[in-house]
Amino acid sequence: MNPDPHARPVLVVDFGAQYAQLIARRVREAKVFSEVVPHTVSTAELVARRPAAIILSGGPASVYAPQAPALDVALLEAGIPVFGMCYGFQAMAAALGGTVAETGLREYGATSAAIADTSSTLFRGQPAQQSVWMSHGDSVSAAPPGMTVTASTAGAQVAAFEDDDRRLYGVQWHPEVVHSTFGQRVLENFLYAGAGLAPDWTPSSIVQDQVARLRAQIGDAHVLCALSGGVDSSVAAALVQRAVGDQLTCVFVDHGLLRAGEAEQVKEEFVAATGVDLVTVEAADRFLSALAGVRDPEEKRKIIGREFIRVFEQAARDVVGLADSQGHPVQFLVQGTLYPDVVESGGGAGTANIKSHHNVGGLPNDLRFTLVEPLRDLFKDEVRKVGLELGVPESIVWRQPFPGPGLGIRIVGEVTAERLETLRAADAIARAGLTAAGLDRDIWQCPVVLLADVRSVGVQGDGRTYGHPVVLRPVSSEDAMTADWARVPYDVLAAISSRITNEVAEVNRVVLDVTSKPPGTIEWE
């Protein structure tokens, strides 16, 4: 087993594909560590990373267009195994002397591919006909010298090529999407047979790798962990405790923005299971005062992030008691930042800043902690597996994702104590309804949003009312990078709606959000 899979990752070069993150996920599902890098990274930088292999993603451009992302042929001559997909396949062909042209034979969606050699590196063990997912207008009309054509379709006579001597491979389709029926097998054949990699990116190896990294980073210093009781912070805390033991103090901030019963779960269940040293800070009044009068969602996020840090700094001084000669805290701060948090917060070249996140983009400039982010490279499903490996209770591991700013960003409008109680009551009913229906693991999460600045007309008790609407936002997803609205059975939705409007006096209307991501985000704010 590679003791540090990060040392030689599979690099996914992003040419602007909507599926670049999905490619990285599929590589990890094959138990090989991967990272996404922008196509603007130079060949010298890529080679300097000593990648175990390189995957060239799809993209919207035509390889012969003037502004199309270029592929340096030197990268293909560096002795690194390379696999091109869609645009990456065409870019390889053009760089190596093949011909890419607009043939007029476009293919989109499910397409039948004829495999010329079912014993080849990419296609061994697969049928001679398979359904693949295409999305291309240009085609490779002539393969580069030295390449063996191993697949074709009606619209692409050169739909795949291979060169075992140079360890260069490519397919015109998207093997990373589930609609390519043998796509994962093709990808794994490249990783295992083409690149010679071992499937050693496992929960056990992740724990071993991160424990070693944490010990090297932290040394004998003291560490604070921002424990919310959610999946991410709980697994991060368990990892750090595994690494440095009693050097860790978990601080749970009861900021008044939690859902019903969550504070008790943190204080009792997580502590009992892990034995961590937990300090609770009651800070609801502080957060509510800071949020008074604030309606802008970005401002709310920044305020909540700022107050979190200030509370931890105070906890370091008052509870942990570690300070330098100037009275500044010197310990580390653990946060449960995930890979999607980094991407959505503009944490890489070419990424858009969709929203700030208190784990990434909402921290004050004068932060006096050194951040420890042991989950920064992981997707949510990987975090859950690591949590189970560490013995974190299943009730916490399988909790639905909950945003760091809590209910503060599920109230559209000003956050007040009364509105929080209203939303807490509605949220508890929705969660209970989904649990009773056995849907907890079928739904990625179900934010309940209070439209506090909106009043709707209703009739309750033979009288006209002007109550608040609440929005149910059940979604299905793998990693929160993309999501679709979950098709919850109508009878379950009806039961939840009836209970909310009967039991929560301030609410007289329940609506369902049926927007996918994109174009919408999962959270409303």
Side-chain angles (χ1 to χ4, degrees):
M1 180 187 299
N2 182 356
D4 183 3
H6 291 77
R8 298 199 64 201
V10 172
L11 297 180
V12 178
V13 179
D14 183 4
F15 284 110
Q18 59 178 319
Y19 297 128
Q21 298 292 334
L22 182 57
I23 296 171
R25 284 185 50 80
R26 297 298 184 232
V27 174
R28 294 185 186 196
E29 288 173 9
K31 299 181 180 179
V32 176
F33 181 67
S34 63
E35 294 179 351
V36 177
V37 297
H39 67 83
T40 51
V41 175
S42 70
T43 295
E45 291 174 294
L46 289 173
V47 173
R49 290 285 305 272
R50 299 181 61 250
I54 289 175
I55 295 176
L56 307 176
S57 84
S62 295
V63 294
Y64 49 76
Q67 303 300 320
L71 177 63
D72 186 353
V73 70
L75 182 63
L76 305 176
E77 297 172 344
I80 303 168
V82 179
F83 184 26
M85 302 177 177
C86 195
Y87 180 89
F89 170 69
Q90 295 176 4
M92 288 180 70
L96 292 168
T99 302
V100 180
E102 186 177 0
T103 63
L105 299 174
R106 300 184 177 189
E107 292 176 311
Y108 296 99
T111 304
S112 179
I115 309 303
D117 182 1
T118 56
S119 65
S120 74
T121 296
L122 291 183
F123 301 113
R124 64 183 59 172
Q126 299 169 41
Q129 291 286 333
Q130 54 185 264
S131 180
V132 300
W133 192 258
M134 287 286 200
S135 182
H136 72 101
D138 301 335
S139 297
V140 178
S141 56
M147 285 289 187
T148 300
V149 177
T150 51
S152 62
T153 67
Q157 288 305 300
V158 182
F161 52 48
E162 307 180 34
D163 185 338
D164 287 323
D165 291 337
R166 291 181 292 176
R167 296 193 295 177
L168 301 178
Y169 307 87
V171 297
Q172 178 61 70
W173 60 87
H174 288 275
E176 73 274 22
V177 303
V178 295
H179 309 290
S180 293
T181 52
F182 288 87
Q184 187 67 13
R185 181 83 67 85
V186 169
L187 178 59
E188 290 177 359
N189 280 355
F190 164 71
L191 295 170
Y192 305 153
L197 303 180
D200 56 12
W201 175 251
T202 63
S204 175
S205 73
I206 293 171
V207 170
Q208 293 177 34
D209 174 37
Q210 286 301 327
V211 164
R213 285 167 161 257
L214 289 167
R215 287 173 177 167
Q217 180 183 9
I218 295 168
D220 59 2
H222 202 92
V223 192
L224 285 178
C225 177
L227 183 64
S228 69
V231 181
D232 307 335
S233 68
S234 297
V235 175
L239 259 177
V240 175
Q241 187 192 41
R242 176 72 62 90
V244 299
D246 59 10
Q247 293 169 231
L248 170 68
T249 298
C250 289
V251 177
F252 170 60
V253 177
D254 191 350
H255 52 22
L257 306 174
L258 296 173
R259 296 176 294 187
E262 289 183 322
E264 292 72 22
Q265 186 181 49
V266 174
K267 297 173 186 176
E268 299 170 9
E269 189 172 352
F270 184 74
V271 172
T274 62
V276 300
D277 178 22
L278 179 68
V279 173
T280 300
V281 181
E282 304 292 343
D285 291 343
R286 173 175 181 159
F287 279 80
L288 280 173
S289 295
L291 290 167
V294 178
R295 288 178 165 79
D296 179 74
E298 281 298 289
E299 186 64 21
K300 285 194 284 188
R301 286 178 177 273
K302 290 175 181 177
I303 288 171
I304 294 169
R306 180 194 71 209
E307 294 304 313
F308 255 103
I309 295 302
R310 296 302 173 241
V311 168
F312 285 121
E313 288 178 336
Q314 190 62 46
R317 287 188 287 266
D318 295 350
V319 180
V320 182
L322 294 178
D324 61 20
S325 58
Q326 286 75 44
H328 297 157
V330 296
Q331 63 270 18
F332 294 88
L333 173 64
V334 178
Q335 289 202 126
T337 308
L338 303 191
Y339 203 16
D341 297 334
V342 176
V343 173
E344 288 204 349
S345 300
T351 58
N353 190 355
I354 298 172
K355 64 183 179 182
S356 68
H357 188 284
H358 86 273
N359 281 350
V360 180
L363 300 177
N365 294 329
D366 59 346
L367 176 68
R368 291 174 180 149
F369 294 107
T370 298
L371 291 181
V372 174
E373 298 173 305
L375 311 179
R376 189 180 178 92
D377 292 332
L378 303 183
F379 290 100
K380 179 72 75 173
D381 61 321
E382 294 171 323
V383 172
R384 294 191 198 279
K385 293 174 183 176
V386 168
L388 294 174
E389 179 76 15
L390 291 165
V392 177
E394 286 196 15
S395 59
I396 293 178
V397 167
W398 289 105
R399 266 188 63 185
Q400 292 183 2
F402 189 57
L407 298 180
I409 59 164
R410 290 186 177 174
I411 295 176
V412 178
E414 182 183 5
V415 179
T416 68
E418 294 76 17
R419 289 173 173 181
L420 283 167
E421 287 307 311
T422 297
L423 179 53
R424 249 190 289 272
D427 176 88
I429 290 170
R431 285 191 289 147
L434 295 174
T435 298
L439 298 174
D440 283 346
R441 296 196 186 183
D442 296 330
I443 295 174
W444 174 262
Q445 66 184 117
C446 183
V448 179
V449 182
L450 176 65
L451 304 184
D453 282 350
V454 176
R455 292 278 184 174
S456 65
V457 178
V459 178
Q460 292 171 300
D462 294 326
R464 184 179 292 267
T465 63
Y466 293 92
H468 296 294
V470 296
V471 180
L472 304 182
R473 172 72 164 136
V475 297
S476 58
S477 180
E478 288 187 331
D479 52 31
M481 298 300 296
T482 60
D484 193 12
W485 64 280
R487 274 60 169 178
V488 178
Y490 289 152
D491 60 336
V492 176
L493 293 172
I496 291 172
S497 176
S498 179
R499 279 198 62 193
I500 290 175
T501 53
N502 284 337
E503 300 176 28
V504 185
E506 297 81 4
V507 176
N508 66 357
R509 192 179 299 269
V510 177
V511 300
L512 179 66
D513 184 345
V514 295
T515 312
S516 63
K517 175 188 178 182
T521 56
I522 292 177
E523 299 291 344
W524 272 48
E525 292 199 337

